[in-house]
PDB file of all heavy atoms in Angstrom:
ATOM      1  N   MET A 760      16.782  11.857  11.388  1.00  0.00           N
ATOM      2  CA  MET A 760      17.034  11.362   9.859  1.00  0.00           C
ATOM      3  C   MET A 760      15.680  10.573   9.408  1.00  0.00           C
ATOM      4  O   MET A 760      15.098   9.860  10.139  1.00  0.00           O
ATOM      5  CB  MET A 760      18.105  10.424   9.916  1.00  0.00           C
ATOM      6  CG  MET A 760      18.441   9.944   8.403  1.00  0.00           C
ATOM      7  SD  MET A 760      20.083   9.137   8.316  1.00  0.00           S
ATOM      8  CE  MET A 760      20.075   8.654   6.662  1.00  0.00           C
ATOM      9  N   ILE A 761      15.317  10.938   8.169  1.00  0.00           N
ATOM     10  CA  ILE A 761      14.175  10.388   7.656  1.00  0.00           C
ATOM     11  C   ILE A 761      14.457   8.951   7.230  1.00  0.00           C
ATOM     12  O   ILE A 761      15.467   8.598   6.597  1.00  0.00           O
ATOM     13  CB  ILE A 761      13.692  11.105   6.359  1.00  0.00           C
ATOM     14  CG1 ILE A 761      13.463  12.565   6.783  1.00  0.00           C
ATOM     15  CG2 ILE A 761      12.384  10.413   5.788  1.00  0.00           C
ATOM     16  CD1 ILE A 761      13.399  13.395   5.456  1.00  0.00           C
ATOM     17  N   GLU A 762      13.569   7.966   7.614  1.00  0.00           N
ATOM     18  CA  GLU A 762      13.844   6.520   7.254  1.00  0.00           C
ATOM     19  C   GLU A 762      12.975   6.175   5.895  1.00  0.00           C
ATOM     20  O   GLU A 762      11.827   6.563   5.834  1.00  0.00           O
ATOM     21  CB  GLU A 762      13.230   5.600   8.373  1.00  0.00           C
ATOM     22  CG  GLU A 762      13.650   4.232   8.169  1.00  0.00           C
ATOM     23  CD  GLU A 762      13.179   3.294   9.408  1.00  0.00           C
ATOM     24  OE1 GLU A 762      13.031   3.873  10.416  1.00  0.00           O
ATOM     25  OE2 GLU A 762      13.036   2.039   9.180  1.00  0.00           O
ATOM     26  N   ALA A 763      13.765   5.660   4.979  1.00  0.00           N
ATOM     27  CA  ALA A 763      13.141   5.361   3.661  1.00  0.00           C
ATOM     28  C   ALA A 763      12.071   4.193   3.789  1.00  0.00           C
ATOM     29  O   ALA A 763      12.286   3.182   4.499  1.00  0.00           O
ATOM     30  CB  ALA A 763      14.142   5.014   2.740  1.00  0.00           C
ATOM     31  N   LEU A 764      10.998   4.264   3.073  1.00  0.00           N
ATOM     32  CA  LEU A 764      10.014   3.188   2.922  1.00  0.00           C
ATOM     33  C   LEU A 764      10.121   2.738   1.443  1.00  0.00           C
ATOM     34  O   LEU A 764       9.489   3.335   0.583  1.00  0.00           O
ATOM     35  CB  LEU A 764       8.595   3.665   3.265  1.00  0.00           C
ATOM     36  CG  LEU A 764       7.589   2.577   3.267  1.00  0.00           C
ATOM     37  CD1 LEU A 764       7.771   1.577   4.488  1.00  0.00           C
ATOM     38  CD2 LEU A 764       6.243   3.109   3.287  1.00  0.00           C
ATOM     39  N   TYR A 765      10.787   1.671   1.235  1.00  0.00           N
ATOM     40  CA  TYR A 765      10.874   1.105  -0.070  1.00  0.00           C
ATOM     41  C   TYR A 765       9.599   0.273  -0.502  1.00  0.00           C
ATOM     42  O   TYR A 765       9.202   0.353  -1.530  1.00  0.00           O
ATOM     43  CB  TYR A 765      12.094   0.148  -0.257  1.00  0.00           C
ATOM     44  CG  TYR A 765      12.370  -0.322  -1.662  1.00  0.00           C
ATOM     45  CD1 TYR A 765      13.124   0.493  -2.564  1.00  0.00           C
ATOM     46  CD2 TYR A 765      11.926  -1.498  -2.169  1.00  0.00           C
ATOM     47  CE1 TYR A 765      13.315   0.174  -3.953  1.00  0.00           C
ATOM     48  CE2 TYR A 765      12.150  -1.848  -3.425  1.00  0.00           C
ATOM     49  CZ  TYR A 765      12.840  -1.016  -4.351  1.00  0.00           C
ATOM     50  OH  TYR A 765      12.994  -1.371  -5.669  1.00  0.00           O
ATOM     51  N   GLU A 766       9.031  -0.402   0.586  1.00  0.00           N
ATOM     52  CA  GLU A 766       7.898  -1.151   0.297  1.00  0.00           C
ATOM     53  C   GLU A 766       6.996  -1.210   1.522  1.00  0.00           C
ATOM     54  O   GLU A 766       7.545  -1.409   2.698  1.00  0.00           O
ATOM     55  CB  GLU A 766       8.259  -2.521  -0.121  1.00  0.00           C
ATOM     56  CG  GLU A 766       7.178  -3.485  -0.573  1.00  0.00           C
ATOM     57  CD  GLU A 766       7.662  -4.828  -1.015  1.00  0.00           C
ATOM     58  OE1 GLU A 766       8.041  -4.859  -2.282  1.00  0.00           O
ATOM     59  OE2 GLU A 766       7.750  -5.791  -0.237  1.00  0.00           O
ATOM     60  N   SER A 767       5.749  -0.883   1.546  1.00  0.00           N
ATOM     61  CA  SER A 767       4.982  -1.022   2.566  1.00  0.00           C
ATOM     62  C   SER A 767       4.569  -2.453   3.091  1.00  0.00           C
ATOM     63  O   SER A 767       4.617  -3.300   2.203  1.00  0.00           O
ATOM     64  CB  SER A 767       3.609  -0.205   2.446  1.00  0.00           C
ATOM     65  OG  SER A 767       2.842  -0.841   1.443  1.00  0.00           O
ATOM     66  N   ASN A 768       4.417  -2.693   4.328  1.00  0.00           N
ATOM     67  CA  ASN A 768       4.176  -3.984   4.802  1.00  0.00           C
ATOM     68  C   ASN A 768       2.941  -3.864   5.780  1.00  0.00           C
ATOM     69  O   ASN A 768       3.058  -3.682   7.086  1.00  0.00           O
ATOM     70  CB  ASN A 768       5.225  -4.579   5.480  1.00  0.00           C
ATOM     71  CG  ASN A 768       5.011  -6.024   6.079  1.00  0.00           C
ATOM     72  OD1 ASN A 768       4.198  -6.671   5.558  1.00  0.00           O
ATOM     73  ND2 ASN A 768       5.762  -6.341   7.146  1.00  0.00           N
ATOM     74  N   CYS A 769       1.722  -4.100   5.319  1.00  0.00           N
ATOM     75  CA  CYS A 769       0.465  -3.920   6.090  1.00  0.00           C
ATOM     76  C   CYS A 769      -0.255  -5.259   5.986  1.00  0.00           C
ATOM     77  O   CYS A 769      -1.296  -5.369   5.211  1.00  0.00           O
ATOM     78  CB  CYS A 769      -0.311  -2.851   5.629  1.00  0.00           C
ATOM     79  SG  CYS A 769       0.514  -1.141   5.520  1.00  0.00           S
ATOM     80  N   PRO A 770       0.185  -6.349   6.659  1.00  0.00           N
ATOM     81  CA  PRO A 770      -0.413  -7.656   6.409  1.00  0.00           C
ATOM     82  C   PRO A 770      -1.883  -7.752   6.709  1.00  0.00           C
ATOM     83  O   PRO A 770      -2.614  -8.784   6.062  1.00  0.00           O
ATOM     84  CB  PRO A 770       0.365  -8.561   7.320  1.00  0.00           C
ATOM     85  CG  PRO A 770       1.063  -7.653   8.444  1.00  0.00           C
ATOM     86  CD  PRO A 770       1.206  -6.393   7.587  1.00  0.00           C
ATOM     87  N   ASP A 771      -2.501  -7.005   7.510  1.00  0.00           N
ATOM     88  CA  ASP A 771      -3.938  -7.095   7.777  1.00  0.00           C
ATOM     89  C   ASP A 771      -4.774  -6.346   6.693  1.00  0.00           C
ATOM     90  O   ASP A 771      -5.947  -6.309   6.855  1.00  0.00           O
ATOM     91  CB  ASP A 771      -4.291  -6.675   9.216  1.00  0.00           C
ATOM     92  CG  ASP A 771      -3.680  -7.651  10.266  1.00  0.00           C
ATOM     93  OD1 ASP A 771      -3.456  -8.714   9.859  1.00  0.00           O
ATOM     94  OD2 ASP A 771      -3.458  -7.182  11.381  1.00  0.00           O
ATOM     95  N   LEU A 772      -4.107  -5.659   5.833  1.00  0.00           N
ATOM     96  CA  LEU A 772      -4.742  -4.934   4.743  1.00  0.00           C
ATOM     97  C   LEU A 772      -4.696  -5.778   3.492  1.00  0.00           C
ATOM     98  O   LEU A 772      -3.562  -6.443   3.269  1.00  0.00           O
ATOM     99  CB  LEU A 772      -4.215  -3.601   4.559  1.00  0.00           C
ATOM    100  CG  LEU A 772      -4.330  -2.555   5.667  1.00  0.00           C
ATOM    101  CD1 LEU A 772      -3.721  -1.186   5.233  1.00  0.00           C
ATOM    102  CD2 LEU A 772      -5.842  -2.336   6.173  1.00  0.00           C
ATOM    103  N   LYS A 773      -5.663  -5.665   2.534  1.00  0.00           N
ATOM    104  CA  LYS A 773      -5.605  -6.446   1.327  1.00  0.00           C
ATOM    105  C   LYS A 773      -4.801  -5.741   0.286  1.00  0.00           C
ATOM    106  O   LYS A 773      -5.361  -4.781  -0.340  1.00  0.00           O
ATOM    107  CB  LYS A 773      -7.055  -6.621   0.825  1.00  0.00           C
ATOM    108  CG  LYS A 773      -7.159  -7.544  -0.364  1.00  0.00           C
ATOM    109  CD  LYS A 773      -8.583  -7.710  -0.809  1.00  0.00           C
ATOM    110  CE  LYS A 773      -8.749  -8.586  -2.136  1.00  0.00           C
ATOM    111  NZ  LYS A 773     -10.165  -8.710  -2.665  1.00  0.00           N
ATOM    112  N   LEU A 774      -3.585  -6.282  -0.012  1.00  0.00           N
ATOM    113  CA  LEU A 774      -2.842  -5.675  -1.101  1.00  0.00           C
ATOM    114  C   LEU A 774      -3.282  -5.959  -2.456  1.00  0.00           C
ATOM    115  O   LEU A 774      -3.489  -7.188  -2.734  1.00  0.00           O
ATOM    116  CB  LEU A 774      -1.381  -6.185  -0.843  1.00  0.00           C
ATOM    117  CG  LEU A 774      -0.308  -5.654  -1.986  1.00  0.00           C
ATOM    118  CD1 LEU A 774      -0.144  -4.104  -1.774  1.00  0.00           C
ATOM    119  CD2 LEU A 774       1.001  -6.314  -1.782  1.00  0.00           C
ATOM    120  N   ILE A 775      -3.598  -5.091  -3.267  1.00  0.00           N
ATOM    121  CA  ILE A 775      -4.066  -5.349  -4.656  1.00  0.00           C
ATOM    122  C   ILE A 775      -2.930  -5.162  -5.669  1.00  0.00           C
ATOM    123  O   ILE A 775      -2.787  -6.026  -6.513  1.00  0.00           O
ATOM    124  CB  ILE A 775      -5.095  -4.241  -5.002  1.00  0.00           C
ATOM    125  CG1 ILE A 775      -6.449  -4.382  -4.114  1.00  0.00           C
ATOM    126  CG2 ILE A 775      -5.552  -4.315  -6.462  1.00  0.00           C
ATOM    127  CD1 ILE A 775      -7.323  -3.294  -4.400  1.00  0.00           C
ATOM    128  N   ALA A 776      -2.014  -4.246  -5.536  1.00  0.00           N
ATOM    129  CA  ALA A 776      -0.909  -4.081  -6.460  1.00  0.00           C
ATOM    130  C   ALA A 776       0.173  -3.283  -5.917  1.00  0.00           C
ATOM    131  O   ALA A 776      -0.025  -2.459  -4.943  1.00  0.00           O
ATOM    132  CB  ALA A 776      -1.486  -3.478  -7.686  1.00  0.00           C
ATOM    133  N   ARG A 777       1.345  -3.407  -6.421  1.00  0.00           N
ATOM    134  CA  ARG A 777       2.498  -2.572  -6.192  1.00  0.00           C
ATOM    135  C   ARG A 777       2.887  -1.963  -7.442  1.00  0.00           C
ATOM    136  O   ARG A 777       3.330  -2.699  -8.438  1.00  0.00           O
ATOM    137  CB  ARG A 777       3.700  -3.348  -5.580  1.00  0.00           C
ATOM    138  CG  ARG A 777       3.430  -3.934  -4.100  1.00  0.00           C
ATOM    139  CD  ARG A 777       4.718  -4.217  -3.431  1.00  0.00           C
ATOM    140  NE  ARG A 777       4.492  -5.068  -2.300  1.00  0.00           N
ATOM    141  CZ  ARG A 777       4.128  -4.728  -1.141  1.00  0.00           C
ATOM    142  NH1 ARG A 777       4.034  -3.313  -0.931  1.00  0.00           N
ATOM    143  NH2 ARG A 777       3.952  -5.525  -0.131  1.00  0.00           N
ATOM    144  N   GLY A 778       2.811  -0.666  -7.651  1.00  0.00           N
ATOM    145  CA  GLY A 778       3.171  -0.015  -8.834  1.00  0.00           C
ATOM    146  C   GLY A 778       4.697   0.415  -8.852  1.00  0.00           C
ATOM    147  O   GLY A 778       5.389  -0.032  -7.908  1.00  0.00           O
ATOM    148  N   LYS A 779       4.919   1.294  -9.688  1.00  0.00           N
ATOM    149  CA  LYS A 779       6.363   1.766  -9.829  1.00  0.00           C
ATOM    150  C   LYS A 779       6.708   2.493  -8.387  1.00  0.00           C
ATOM    151  O   LYS A 779       7.932   2.420  -8.000  1.00  0.00           O
ATOM    152  CB  LYS A 779       6.650   2.591 -10.986  1.00  0.00           C
ATOM    153  CG  LYS A 779       6.630   1.860 -12.315  1.00  0.00           C
ATOM    154  CD  LYS A 779       7.144   2.596 -13.450  1.00  0.00           C
ATOM    155  CE  LYS A 779       6.135   3.422 -14.084  1.00  0.00           C
ATOM    156  NZ  LYS A 779       5.060   2.745 -14.829  1.00  0.00           N
ATOM    157  N   VAL A 780       5.789   3.226  -7.965  1.00  0.00           N
ATOM    158  CA  VAL A 780       6.000   4.206  -6.701  1.00  0.00           C
ATOM    159  C   VAL A 780       4.946   3.765  -5.551  1.00  0.00           C
ATOM    160  O   VAL A 780       5.261   3.652  -4.384  1.00  0.00           O
ATOM    161  CB  VAL A 780       5.843   5.636  -7.034  1.00  0.00           C
ATOM    162  CG1 VAL A 780       5.922   6.417  -5.762  1.00  0.00           C
ATOM    163  CG2 VAL A 780       7.036   5.998  -7.934  1.00  0.00           C
ATOM    164  N   ARG A 781       3.706   3.520  -6.035  1.00  0.00           N
ATOM    165  CA  ARG A 781       2.610   3.291  -5.064  1.00  0.00           C
ATOM    166  C   ARG A 781       2.203   1.920  -4.850  1.00  0.00           C
ATOM    167  O   ARG A 781       2.211   0.944  -5.820  1.00  0.00           O
ATOM    168  CB  ARG A 781       1.431   4.124  -5.587  1.00  0.00           C
ATOM    169  CG  ARG A 781       1.601   5.546  -5.234  1.00  0.00           C
ATOM    170  CD  ARG A 781       0.597   6.458  -6.079  1.00  0.00           C
ATOM    171  NE  ARG A 781       0.925   7.871  -5.834  1.00  0.00           N
ATOM    172  CZ  ARG A 781       1.918   8.462  -6.424  1.00  0.00           C
ATOM    173  NH1 ARG A 781       2.624   7.836  -7.369  1.00  0.00           N
ATOM    174  NH2 ARG A 781       2.193   9.732  -6.109  1.00  0.00           N
ATOM    175  N   ASP A 782       1.987   1.601  -3.486  1.00  0.00           N
ATOM    176  CA  ASP A 782       1.347   0.319  -3.097  1.00  0.00           C
ATOM    177  C   ASP A 782      -0.254   0.600  -2.957  1.00  0.00           C
ATOM    178  O   ASP A 782      -0.544   1.646  -2.304  1.00  0.00           O
ATOM    179  CB  ASP A 782       1.956  -0.189  -1.781  1.00  0.00           C
ATOM    180  CG  ASP A 782       3.415  -0.543  -2.015  1.00  0.00           C
ATOM    181  OD1 ASP A 782       3.995  -0.639  -3.175  1.00  0.00           O
ATOM    182  OD2 ASP A 782       4.144  -0.691  -0.946  1.00  0.00           O
ATOM    183  N   LEU A 783      -1.070  -0.258  -3.387  1.00  0.00           N
ATOM    184  CA  LEU A 783      -2.458  -0.092  -3.328  1.00  0.00           C
ATOM    185  C   LEU A 783      -3.117  -1.139  -2.606  1.00  0.00           C
ATOM    186  O   LEU A 783      -2.920  -2.341  -2.849  1.00  0.00           O
ATOM    187  CB  LEU A 783      -2.911  -0.157  -4.875  1.00  0.00           C
ATOM    188  CG  LEU A 783      -4.405   0.105  -5.142  1.00  0.00           C
ATOM    189  CD1 LEU A 783      -4.816   1.561  -4.567  1.00  0.00           C
ATOM    190  CD2 LEU A 783      -4.735   0.036  -6.638  1.00  0.00           C
ATOM    191  N   TYR A 784      -3.863  -0.716  -1.577  1.00  0.00           N
ATOM    192  CA  TYR A 784      -4.627  -1.650  -0.861  1.00  0.00           C
ATOM    193  C   TYR A 784      -6.137  -1.377  -0.939  1.00  0.00           C
ATOM    194  O   TYR A 784      -6.612  -0.262  -1.101  1.00  0.00           O
ATOM    195  CB  TYR A 784      -4.300  -1.529   0.671  1.00  0.00           C
ATOM    196  CG  TYR A 784      -2.837  -1.790   0.973  1.00  0.00           C
ATOM    197  CD1 TYR A 784      -1.885  -0.896   0.900  1.00  0.00           C
ATOM    198  CD2 TYR A 784      -2.574  -3.117   1.436  1.00  0.00           C
ATOM    199  CE1 TYR A 784      -0.594  -1.193   1.238  1.00  0.00           C
ATOM    200  CE2 TYR A 784      -1.141  -3.356   1.830  1.00  0.00           C
ATOM    201  CZ  TYR A 784      -0.173  -2.470   1.680  1.00  0.00           C
ATOM    202  OH  TYR A 784       1.078  -2.767   1.971  1.00  0.00           O
ATOM    203  N   GLU A 785      -6.927  -2.577  -0.897  1.00  0.00           N
ATOM    204  CA  GLU A 785      -8.424  -2.422  -0.777  1.00  0.00           C
ATOM    205  C   GLU A 785      -8.796  -2.236   0.703  1.00  0.00           C
ATOM    206  O   GLU A 785      -8.528  -3.054   1.590  1.00  0.00           O
ATOM    207  CB  GLU A 785      -9.111  -3.479  -1.369  1.00  0.00           C
ATOM    208  CG  GLU A 785     -10.525  -3.489  -1.444  1.00  0.00           C
ATOM    209  CD  GLU A 785     -11.289  -4.608  -2.077  1.00  0.00           C
ATOM    210  OE1 GLU A 785     -11.103  -5.753  -1.564  1.00  0.00           O
ATOM    211  OE2 GLU A 785     -11.889  -4.379  -3.153  1.00  0.00           O
ATOM    212  N   ILE A 786      -9.611  -1.207   0.959  1.00  0.00           N
ATOM    213  CA  ILE A 786     -10.005  -0.969   2.376  1.00  0.00           C
ATOM    214  C   ILE A 786     -11.481  -1.605   2.489  1.00  0.00           C
ATOM    215  O   ILE A 786     -11.817  -2.276   3.491  1.00  0.00           O
ATOM    216  CB  ILE A 786      -9.966   0.492   2.799  1.00  0.00           C
ATOM    217  CG1 ILE A 786      -8.552   0.949   2.631  1.00  0.00           C
ATOM    218  CG2 ILE A 786     -10.460   0.677   4.200  1.00  0.00           C
ATOM    219  CD1 ILE A 786      -7.555   0.324   3.412  1.00  0.00           C
ATOM    220  N   ASP A 787     -12.367  -1.298   1.687  1.00  0.00           N
ATOM    221  CA  ASP A 787     -13.766  -1.944   1.674  1.00  0.00           C
ATOM    222  C   ASP A 787     -14.267  -1.838   0.245  1.00  0.00           C
ATOM    223  O   ASP A 787     -13.504  -1.543  -0.627  1.00  0.00           O
ATOM    224  CB  ASP A 787     -14.553  -1.081   2.671  1.00  0.00           C
ATOM    225  CG  ASP A 787     -14.677   0.408   2.462  1.00  0.00           C
ATOM    226  OD1 ASP A 787     -14.656   0.787   1.278  1.00  0.00           O
ATOM    227  OD2 ASP A 787     -14.766   1.057   3.445  1.00  0.00           O
ATOM    228  N   ASP A 788     -15.606  -1.990   0.136  1.00  0.00           N
ATOM    229  CA  ASP A 788     -16.263  -2.087  -1.272  1.00  0.00           C
ATOM    230  C   ASP A 788     -16.103  -0.652  -1.909  1.00  0.00           C
ATOM    231  O   ASP A 788     -16.303  -0.782  -3.226  1.00  0.00           O
ATOM    232  CB  ASP A 788     -17.642  -2.441  -1.075  1.00  0.00           C
ATOM    233  CG  ASP A 788     -17.809  -3.909  -0.651  1.00  0.00           C
ATOM    234  OD1 ASP A 788     -16.885  -4.659  -0.857  1.00  0.00           O
ATOM    235  OD2 ASP A 788     -18.944  -4.236  -0.182  1.00  0.00           O
ATOM    236  N   SER A 789     -15.980   0.428  -1.143  1.00  0.00           N
ATOM    237  CA  SER A 789     -15.985   1.717  -1.992  1.00  0.00           C
ATOM    238  C   SER A 789     -14.747   2.485  -1.796  1.00  0.00           C
ATOM    239  O   SER A 789     -14.531   3.582  -2.308  1.00  0.00           O
ATOM    240  CB  SER A 789     -17.092   2.550  -1.397  1.00  0.00           C
ATOM    241  OG  SER A 789     -16.894   2.842   0.098  1.00  0.00           O
ATOM    242  N   SER A 790     -13.698   2.010  -1.093  1.00  0.00           N
ATOM    243  CA  SER A 790     -12.545   2.809  -0.875  1.00  0.00           C
ATOM    244  C   SER A 790     -11.187   2.018  -1.031  1.00  0.00           C
ATOM    245  O   SER A 790     -11.124   0.793  -0.768  1.00  0.00           O
ATOM    246  CB  SER A 790     -12.471   3.441   0.438  1.00  0.00           C
ATOM    247  OG  SER A 790     -12.507   2.626   1.576  1.00  0.00           O
ATOM    248  N   LEU A 791     -10.095   2.757  -1.488  1.00  0.00           N
ATOM    249  CA  LEU A 791      -8.864   2.109  -1.492  1.00  0.00           C
ATOM    250  C   LEU A 791      -7.788   2.984  -0.711  1.00  0.00           C
ATOM    251  O   LEU A 791      -7.986   4.162  -0.456  1.00  0.00           O
ATOM    252  CB  LEU A 791      -8.294   2.168  -3.012  1.00  0.00           C
ATOM    253  CG  LEU A 791      -9.218   1.329  -3.927  1.00  0.00           C
ATOM    254  CD1 LEU A 791      -8.750   1.677  -5.434  1.00  0.00           C
ATOM    255  CD2 LEU A 791      -9.161  -0.100  -3.735  1.00  0.00           C
ATOM    256  N   LEU A 792      -6.652   2.408  -0.527  1.00  0.00           N
ATOM    257  CA  LEU A 792      -5.589   3.144   0.175  1.00  0.00           C
ATOM    258  C   LEU A 792      -4.326   3.251  -0.838  1.00  0.00           C
ATOM    259  O   LEU A 792      -3.783   2.206  -1.197  1.00  0.00           O
ATOM    260  CB  LEU A 792      -5.206   2.502   1.513  1.00  0.00           C
ATOM    261  CG  LEU A 792      -4.078   3.290   2.297  1.00  0.00           C
ATOM    262  CD1 LEU A 792      -4.724   4.521   2.970  1.00  0.00           C
ATOM    263  CD2 LEU A 792      -3.420   2.359   3.373  1.00  0.00           C
ATOM    264  N   PHE A 793      -3.993   4.457  -1.129  1.00  0.00           N
ATOM    265  CA  PHE A 793      -2.837   4.644  -2.076  1.00  0.00           C
ATOM    266  C   PHE A 793      -1.650   5.054  -1.103  1.00  0.00           C
ATOM    267  O   PHE A 793      -1.745   6.067  -0.313  1.00  0.00           O
ATOM    268  CB  PHE A 793      -3.002   5.752  -2.921  1.00  0.00           C
ATOM    269  CG  PHE A 793      -3.736   5.433  -4.254  1.00  0.00           C
ATOM    270  CD1 PHE A 793      -4.882   4.745  -4.206  1.00  0.00           C
ATOM    271  CD2 PHE A 793      -3.252   5.880  -5.439  1.00  0.00           C
ATOM    272  CE1 PHE A 793      -5.451   4.392  -5.419  1.00  0.00           C
ATOM    273  CE2 PHE A 793      -3.878   5.615  -6.675  1.00  0.00           C
ATOM    274  CZ  PHE A 793      -4.985   4.841  -6.633  1.00  0.00           C
ATOM    275  N   VAL A 794      -0.480   4.195  -1.151  1.00  0.00           N
ATOM    276  CA  VAL A 794       0.602   4.525  -0.350  1.00  0.00           C
ATOM    277  C   VAL A 794       1.804   4.832  -1.203  1.00  0.00           C
ATOM    278  O   VAL A 794       2.248   4.069  -2.001  1.00  0.00           O
ATOM    279  CB  VAL A 794       1.068   3.276   0.576  1.00  0.00           C
ATOM    280  CG1 VAL A 794       2.244   3.532   1.440  1.00  0.00           C
ATOM    281  CG2 VAL A 794      -0.199   2.835   1.506  1.00  0.00           C
TER     282      VAL A 794
END
């Protein structure tokens, strides 16, 4: 069974924003992570 992810939890990454669907983290000066 697939487990739902309502909200990501990555405390060692810099969370920038949570949108309606995506969580956005800054990885370094040139890249971001869209979840």
Side-chain angles (χ1 to χ4, degrees):
M760 183 167 174
I761 307 166
E762 187 173 341
L764 182 74
Y765 189 83
E766 188 175 278
S767 63
N768 179 26
C769 306
D771 291 337
L772 299 180
K773 182 181 177 182
L774 179 68
I775 296 177
R777 296 194 195 275
K779 290 191 280 286
V780 173
R781 284 165 184 78
D782 294 344
L783 182 61
Y784 295 88
E785 182 179 64
I786 302 305
D787 55 35
D788 289 343
S789 61
S790 63
L791 303 169
L792 187 73
F793 277 46
V794 181

